[in-house]
Amino acid sequence: MTLQAIELWRGAIDLVSPFRTSFGTDTARELLYVHAIGDKNSGWGECVAGVEPNYSSEYLENCQEVVKRFLVPMLRSDSTAQSFVASVASIRGNYMSKACVEVALLDLQLRDQNTSLAKFLGATQTKVRSGVSVGIQNTLDDLIRVVGEYIAQGYVRVKLKIEPGTDIELVRTVRKEFGDDLLLQVDANAAYTVADAKHLQQLDAFNLLLIEQPLPEDDLAGHVELSRAIKTPVCLDESVTSLDTARGALDLKACSVINIKPGRVGGYLEAKKIHDLCLDRGVPVWCGGMLETGIGRAANLALAALPGFTLPGDISASARYFARDITTPFVLDQGQIAVPNTVGIGVAPLPEMLAGFKKVATFEVAKR
Ligand code: OSB
Ligand code: MG
């Protein structure tokens, strides 16, 4: 592979409905795409960071700066995703910045090799079961209506966003309305403290698959204590930023399930390592989402097709997020979404959609 240039593209796509979590509300997906240009093919990567540093410390403007100032300068014409990951190990954190460059390189090199990301990662599934993440609604009636619509569309698992004051009643209501067979879980996005353990014990009555990231990302000890205090399995999202933090969390028994998001751990190579560790230890994993457009969604589908992904992930159809996706839309078929199986991530931005985006930078890559 010969890498010639990196382009950065910016734009936004409106969400079909506002997405509210314990940390904020989004009405549009602001986007940063990395386009890696080779001599024969090109590859695309999507940055999962939000506009504000409220899910984690990373945010989109900062990612763009980190990519430009620290990551792109490390690239050479013979760089690969693997050599890139090795060379940027000297840069601390900045997982989302690293991940969007890494996957653009992966897409490019796998296209050159005429193989798919799914095959490269070791996928064993051709389609994956699809769950849906439901934001906090204004009223319980709205919540029932929205959840009912998603179930009618075929989503096989529902995740409810919760926060203090909007939690137990909400879960009770959804359980009562949709019955005991519904695969149901909750996500607090770090909104509680370990002092809420007694309160969260009330969730034990509702047979949830898991509670995701109840406590702040740094509070592994708190998650250990909470895991002992409640029956609902604790799953970590924000806390797991690497293979090392995943291993530590499991060794400490801070969680019994892990949500793997490639953007949060610096890319798909690290995500696969976390998957392999969890598979080896019999720890269930599932693929998280960051309201990705088709570029990020395609790559997540490849990852979610690995054998350790035994729980349905937050990879919903394009229509759950956008009226028009950047790529050919991903559709739900009997609760499942097909895993791209052509070359690279299997998709690229539609020219008519990209026309509404702006190329904000082009960097020539030094020869070697
Ligand atoms: O915590 O899983 C999360 C979206 C943005 C930031 C954080 C999270 C989420 C979601 C949405 O829950 C999942 C999806 O992409 O459907
Ligand atoms: Mg989460």
Side-chain angles (χ1 to χ4, degrees), residues 29-76:
R29 191 67 177 104
E30 298 280 338
L31 294 155
L32 164 65
Y33 294 126
V34 176
H35 189 201
I37 299 169
D39 51 349
K40 293 190 280 291
N41 291 295
S42 77
W44 287 89
E46 175 173 344
C47 182
V48 301
V51 171
E52 293 175 13
N54 45 20
Y55 163 79
S56 76
S57 63
E58 296 189 77
Y59 64 99
L60 215 48
E61 287 296 323
N62 191 58
C63 289
Q64 188 174 326
E65 178 71 10
V66 169
V67 168
K68 169 182 152 189
R69 193 158 157 184
F70 300 110
L71 305 184
V72 167
M74 292 197 155
L75 294 170
R76 297 292 177 270

Side-chain angles (χ1 to χ4, degrees), residues 122-202:
T124 52
Q125 316 283 320
T126 57
K127 45 196 180 170
V128 297
R129 290 188 300 160
S130 182
V132 63
S133 174
V134 183
I136 297 169
Q137 307 293 315
N138 291 331
T139 67
L140 283 177
D141 283 349
D142 286 345
L143 180 67
I144 290 171
R145 179 179 49 77
V146 169
V147 170
E149 285 168 8
Y150 287 138
I151 293 172
Q153 288 164 24
Y155 287 104
V156 304
R157 184 229 68 194
V158 170
K159 162 169 137 181
L160 305 176
K161 291 288 191 179
I162 59 167
E163 64 184 357
T166 316
D167 46 20
I168 314 298
E169 235 4 80
L170 181 148
V171 172
R172 177 180 291 122
T173 304
V174 170
R175 246 308 165 236
K176 198 163 161 219
E177 185 72 24
F178 299 102
D180 292 337
D181 290 342
L182 174 67
L183 298 182
L184 188 63
Q185 64 192 50
V186 293
D187 185 0
N189 287 112
Y192 296 86
T193 72
V194 73
D196 295 314
K198 269 249 136 41
H199 174 75
L200 293 172
Q201 246 173 26
Q202 297 174 82

Side-chain angles (χ1 to χ4, degrees), residues 8-324:
L8 302 184
W9 288 77
R10 291 292 307 267
I13 305 182
D14 284 341
L15 292 168
V16 290
S17 56
F19 188 71
R20 181 173 151 209
T21 65
S22 63
F23 61 75
T25 305
D26 281 333
T27 56
R29 191 67 177 104
E30 298 280 338
L31 294 155
L32 164 65
Y33 294 126
V34 176
H35 189 201
I37 299 169
D39 51 349
K40 293 190 280 291
N41 291 295
S42 77
W44 287 89
E46 175 173 344
C47 182
V48 301
V51 171
E52 293 175 13
N54 45 20
Y55 163 79
S56 76
S57 63
E58 296 189 77
Y59 64 99
L60 215 48
E61 287 296 323
N62 191 58
C63 289
Q64 188 174 326
E65 178 71 10
V66 169
V67 168
K68 169 182 152 189
R69 193 158 157 184
F70 300 110
L71 305 184
V72 167
M74 292 197 155
L75 294 170
R76 297 292 177 270
S77 54
D78 60 352
S79 292
T80 60
Q82 291 83 351
S83 73
F84 169 77
V85 168
S87 63
V88 299
S90 60
I91 291 168
R92 307 297 168 202
N94 292 291
Y95 309 99
M96 295 176 183
S97 303
K98 293 173 182 174
C100 61
V101 177
E102 184 235 43
V103 68
L105 295 173
L106 266 178
D107 186 25
L108 168 59
Q109 77 199 49
L110 294 173
R111 283 173 192 270
D112 281 356
Q113 293 163 20
N114 205 21
T115 190
S116 68
L117 179 62
K119 191 163 181 212
F120 167 78
L121 291 173
T124 52
Q125 316 283 320
T126 57
K127 45 196 180 170
V128 297
R129 290 188 300 160
S130 182
V132 63
S133 174
V134 183
I136 297 169
Q137 307 293 315
N138 291 331
T139 67
L140 283 177
D141 283 349
D142 286 345
L143 180 67
I144 290 171
R145 179 179 49 77
V146 169
V147 170
E149 285 168 8
Y150 287 138
I151 293 172
Q153 288 164 24
Y155 287 104
V156 304
R157 184 229 68 194
V158 170
K159 162 169 137 181
L160 305 176
K161 291 288 191 179
I162 59 167
E163 64 184 357
T166 316
D167 46 20
I168 314 298
E169 235 4 80
L170 181 148
V171 172
R172 177 180 291 122
T173 304
V174 170
R175 246 308 165 236
K176 198 163 161 219
E177 185 72 24
F178 299 102
D180 292 337
D181 290 342
L182 174 67
L183 298 182
L184 188 63
Q185 64 192 50
V186 293
D187 185 0
N189 287 112
Y192 296 86
T193 72
V194 73
D196 295 314
K198 269 249 136 41
H199 174 75
L200 293 172
Q201 246 173 26
Q202 297 174 82
L203 291 174
D204 287 350
F206 304 109
N207 192 29
L208 299 177
L209 284 170
L210 56 90
I211 178 170
E212 181 181 347
Q213 198 67 42
L215 313 180
E217 61 179 274
D218 292 339
D219 194 8
L220 277 192
H223 284 102
V224 173
E225 197 177 326
L226 183 67
S227 294
R228 288 193 192 119
I230 66 177
K231 288 204 191 73
T232 307
V234 171
C235 169
L236 290 176
D237 174 357
E238 286 91 325
S239 295
V240 176
T241 54
S242 61
L243 176 64
D244 289 342
T245 49
R247 193 193 302 111
L250 294 176
D251 284 350
L252 290 168
K253 295 188 163 51
C255 67
S256 54
V257 184
I258 290 180
N259 163 342
I260 302 183
K261 288 180 182 171
R264 197 195 59 221
V265 302
Y268 288 81
L269 299 174
E270 188 81 1
K272 176 170 166 58
K273 288 184 189 169
I274 298 173
H275 160 271
D276 293 352
L277 170 80
C278 291
L279 186 62
D280 186 53
R281 294 193 180 190
V283 172
V285 301
W286 54 283
C287 187
M290 295 290 284
L291 310 177
E292 288 91 345
T293 65
I295 298 294
R297 185 167 316 286
N300 283 350
L301 283 163
L303 181 71
L306 270 61
F309 286 80
T310 53
L311 293 167
D314 280 349
I315 310 179
S316 311
S318 294
R320 180 258 173 268
Y321 311 92
F322 314 107
R324 290 179 71 196

